[in-house]
DNA sequence: AATGCTCTCAACCGCTCGCAT
DNA sequence: AATGCGAGCGGTTGAGAGCAT
């Protein structure tokens, strides 16, 4: 059973917005803000529109920081990646692309990227497929999308290692030290927090080995049964080179097991092909990363990392 | 020039979620 | 605990622009 309409559709204007309406809404929001109440806004702003319509118009079109069109190759990759990782959660995907809206990303996917993916589907590369099947296998153990363990690396000196396998659920936020269920702080350099409830946390400790940006097509190409994108494409774009790392992607929010190189956090090769990249970027503040589970987080702390990378962690 | 088809994207619809009561 | 309400989300629609015939 659906809810009651938010406004009387018969009495409000619908359809395309006129420049005058745009200006009314723009000037009202500029001077008053939304007030956290979109339902009441149209009347206050002198608009004969449904509040929902006003909200959509503002968020998707009138906001000053909106970018329209002109998607870059890097943005494409991010969308591919995130779509593969989390599916059609457009608001989450859009949040990784400054200036983009969920509606815009959704439209872009439906009209352009999906076709691009399907075109790739007809050009499979056996060698990649084999490797990607491996990714796929591991990816399935990560299901839950972005709901893996979120790890914030802290600069506190290493303490005796304790298992953080039972982290308290916590809102995803950087620079927080999680505690175990017994209340012990996991202060051995890594504080891990699970976004999902513990029961949702994948049990298998195996780590995926691809970066989150190139991963989209990689995992998808593996034909992952749980991946929507996987049904569409079978070929991964090449890994991102150090000199074209998307400027809009910060290391602040990287799903680390995907960022690191191939394998299971091999000692001495933690970052696989991305070591040089990360070293180049060591000036960035790596404040929060995602791991699929606490074991992965622990492996991170004990693994060799590019010099300087941890230096700037908070 | 006229017609039909395809594509794009702004806008709508219906639902879930979270908060307040 | 139950209920109501608004915000937010993702899927879908349809008008209009562009292109092909």
């Amino acid at each position: 059973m659906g809810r009651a309409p938010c406004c009387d559709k018969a009495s409000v204007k619908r359809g395309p917005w006129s420049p005058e309406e745009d200006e009314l809404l723009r000037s009202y929001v500029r001077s008053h803000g939304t007030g956290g109440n979109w339902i009441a806004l149209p009347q206050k702003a002198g608009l004969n529109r449904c509040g929902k319509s006003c909200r959509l118009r503002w968020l998707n079109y009138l906001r000053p920081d909106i970018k329209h069109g002109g998607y870059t190759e890097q943005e494409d990759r991010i969308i591919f990646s995130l779509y593969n990782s989390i599916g059609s959660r457009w608001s989450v995907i859009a949040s990784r692309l400054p200036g983009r809206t969920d509606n815009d990303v959704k439209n872009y996917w439906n009209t352009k990227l999906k076709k691009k993916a399907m075109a790739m589907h007809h050009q499979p590369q056996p060698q990649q497929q084999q490797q990607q099947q491996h990714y796929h296998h591991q990816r399935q153990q990560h299901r839950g999308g972005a709901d893996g363990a979120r790890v914030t690396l802290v600069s506190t000196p290493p303490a005796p290692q304790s298992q953080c396998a039972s982290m308290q659920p916590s809102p995803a936020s950087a620079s927080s030290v999680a505690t175990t269920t017994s209340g012990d702080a996991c202060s051995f350099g890594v504080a891990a927090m699970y976004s999902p409830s513990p029961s949702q946390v994948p049990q298998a400790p195996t780590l995926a080995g691809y970066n989150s940006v190139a991963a989209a097509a990689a995992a998808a190409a593996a034909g992952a049964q749980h991946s929507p994108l996987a049904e569409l494409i079978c070929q991964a774009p090449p890994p991102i080179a150090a000199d074209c790392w998307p400027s809009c992607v910060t290391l602040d929010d990287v799903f680390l097991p995907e960022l690191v190189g191939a394998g299971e956090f091999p000692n001495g090769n933690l970052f696989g092909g991305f070591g040089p990249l990360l070293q180049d970027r060591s000036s960035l503040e790596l404040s929060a990363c995602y791991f699929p589970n606490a074991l992965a987080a622990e492996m991170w702390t004990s693994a060799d990392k590019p010099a300087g990378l941890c230096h700037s962690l908070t």
Side-chain angles (χ1 to χ4, degrees):
Chain A
M1 190 173 71
R3 14 174 319 105
C6 60
C7 55
D8 181 7
K9 291 188 171 71
S11 63
V12 297
K13 186 184 174 189
R14 299 168 66 189
W17 282 63
S18 68
E20 292 76 20
E21 288 176 309
D22 281 348
E23 190 47 43
L24 271 175
L25 178 57
R26 190 183 286 115
S27 61
Y28 181 86
V29 173
R30 273 179 186 160
S31 53
H32 300 90
T34 65
N37 187 350
W38 284 105
I39 300 300
L41 187 144
Q43 194 178 3
K44 294 177 182 173
L47 284 159
N48 185 29
R49 288 274 184 176
C50 177
K52 219 169 169 179
S53 179
C54 293
R55 175 185 163 271
L56 208 63
R57 184 64 177 173
W58 173 258
L59 292 178
N60 289 337
Y61 201 82
L62 296 179
R63 257 194 307 163
D65 54 343
I66 294 289
K67 280 192 286 186
H68 289 289
Y71 278 82
T72 67
E73 188 70 24
Q74 291 149 356
E75 287 175 309
D76 287 358
R77 288 177 180 171
I78 293 167
I79 295 170
F80 270 129
S81 170
L82 291 172
Y83 185 88
N84 180 66
S85 296
I86 62 177
S88 57
R89 294 167 65 182
W90 302 118
S91 60
V92 175
I93 295 173
S95 71
R96 318 308 293 154
L97 302 169
R100 303 296 186 187
T101 69
D102 53 355
N103 208 36
D104 200 32
V105 172
K106 180 173 60 183
N107 282 333
Y108 183 56
W109 171 264
N110 286 330
T111 60
K112 305 266 180 61
L113 284 185
K114 194 156 76 178
K115 290 171 188 169
K116 197 172 172 180
M118 293 180 81
M120 288 176 175
H121 176 73
H122 298 296
Q123 302 170 358
Q125 294 189 2
Q127 190 175 1
Q128 283 180 329
Q129 282 184 319
Q130 187 177 13
Q131 182 185 19
Q132 289 150 2
Q133 185 61 45
H134 173 64
Y135 295 154
H136 158 55
H137 176 71
Q138 297 179 338
R139 161 62 74 193
Q140 290 186 47
Q141 306 183 17
H142 290 162
R143 271 329 262 186
D147 295 338
R150 182 173 182 137
V151 172
T152 296
L153 295 159
V154 296
S155 56
T156 52
Q161 297 210 347
S162 60
Q163 287 291 340
C164 290
S166 304
M167 303 300 178
Q168 301 283 7
S170 168
S173 63
S175 303
S176 299
V177 177
T179 59
T180 65
T181 49
S182 62
D184 297 328
C186 286
S187 58
F188 53 89
V190 170
M193 299 171 284
Y194 288 116
S195 296
S197 66
S199 63
Q200 293 175 291
V201 174
Q203 297 302 309
T206 313
L207 302 176
Y210 46 93
N211 88 38
S212 66
V213 177
Q225 292 167 0
H226 297 287
S227 162
L229 179 60
E231 297 171 4
L232 300 174
I233 65 175
C234 284
Q235 183 184 13
I240 291 178
D243 60 354
C244 67
W245 184 263
S247 58
C248 55
V249 172
T250 71
L251 294 181
D252 174 73
D253 233 1
V254 172
F255 199 78
L256 260 185
E258 298 180 350
L259 176 66
V260 302
E264 330 270 328
F265 277 102
N267 248 356
N269 188 28
L270 177 65
F271 292 94
F274 296 93
L277 164 62
L278 288 175
Q279 285 178 333
D280 289 346
R281 298 279 169 160
S282 60
S283 60
L284 290 174
E285 184 177 33
L286 182 55
S287 61
C289 297
Y290 296 99
F291 288 92
N293 52 51
L295 177 58
E298 199 167 326
M299 292 173 75
W300 159 271
T301 62
S302 59
D304 295 331
K305 294 178 275 292
L309 181 63
C310 291
H311 178 70
S312 59
L313 300 181
T314 58

